[in-house]
Amino acid sequence: MITEELLDQIISLTLIVEEETQRLREMRGGKSLGELVGAKTRLVGQLEAEIARLDRADPSWTEHLPADEHETLDRALDTLRAAMVTNAETVARNLEVTSELLNVLGDEARRLASRRASTYTAEGALPEREAVPITIDTRL
């Protein structure tokens, strides 16, 4: 017999993952995004604990489910899987875009710094290329 707690956890996790994905797509991060990630992490732990409890009680509990409950569980898990795949793709893309943006900013900062800064050597003045005057404001 599928527990209501298990089904509730799967549905809640799906909703949180979908909300996180939507916020990432809209580039709405901030503190609330961190709270969503924390809630997602807690729910994953609770879901794992519930499945472990069911496995301890009956290792083949899914085989003993009535057909309608098995179908409900399968549908909920398929929806969760799809949401997690979309979420993973969105997170990966956001990380890629962020990395590209930081590289562009670093290149531009080096270009601007090399115009103004120079080091005098025996051969003459050489542009300074090592220092990159960038700071990241984490409160963006």
Side-chain angles (χ1 to χ4, degrees):
M1 173 186 220
I2 186 173
T3 66
E4 283 298 316
E5 186 173 347
L6 178 65
L7 196 53
D8 286 346
Q9 290 168 342
I10 293 170
I11 292 168
S12 295
L13 183 56
T14 302
L15 292 172
I16 287 173
V17 168
E18 288 171 345
E19 174 71 17
E20 178 188 26
T21 301
Q22 187 62 34
R23 287 178 186 235
L24 287 169
R25 284 182 175 159
E26 295 171 357
M27 299 296 214
R28 290 186 302 138
K31 186 177 180 181
S32 62
L33 188 58
E35 292 168 357
L36 279 175
V37 171
K40 181 172 72 169
T41 302
R42 283 188 299 280
L43 267 171
V44 167
Q46 291 170 0
L47 186 58
E48 287 176 344
E50 181 64 14
I51 291 171
R53 185 190 68 75
L54 291 168
D55 283 344
R56 278 192 306 276
D58 180 6
S60 56
W61 64 273
T62 57
E63 296 170 14
H64 301 116
L65 289 175
D68 62 327
E69 289 184 15
H70 204 289
E71 186 178 319
T72 300
L73 180 61
D74 283 347
R75 245 188 346 263
L77 288 173
D78 285 345
T79 303
L80 176 59
R81 259 186 235 103
M84 293 297 279
V85 166
T86 302
N87 182 265
E89 290 169 352
T90 304
V91 167
R93 180 63 188 140
N94 278 21
L95 289 173
E96 183 181 315
V97 167
T98 301
S99 179
E100 289 173 8
L101 180 61
L102 288 174
N103 287 338
V104 168
L105 289 171
D107 290 346
E108 182 63 9
R110 277 188 289 280
R111 185 186 69 78
L112 292 173
S114 68
R115 284 187 184 168
R116 295 186 304 257
S118 61
T119 303
Y120 184 76
T121 64
E123 290 83 29
L126 298 174
E128 186 73 44
R129 297 219 177 252
E130 297 302 316
V132 179
I134 286 185
T135 62
I136 302 296
D137 184 355
T138 59
R139 294 173 290 166
L140 290 176

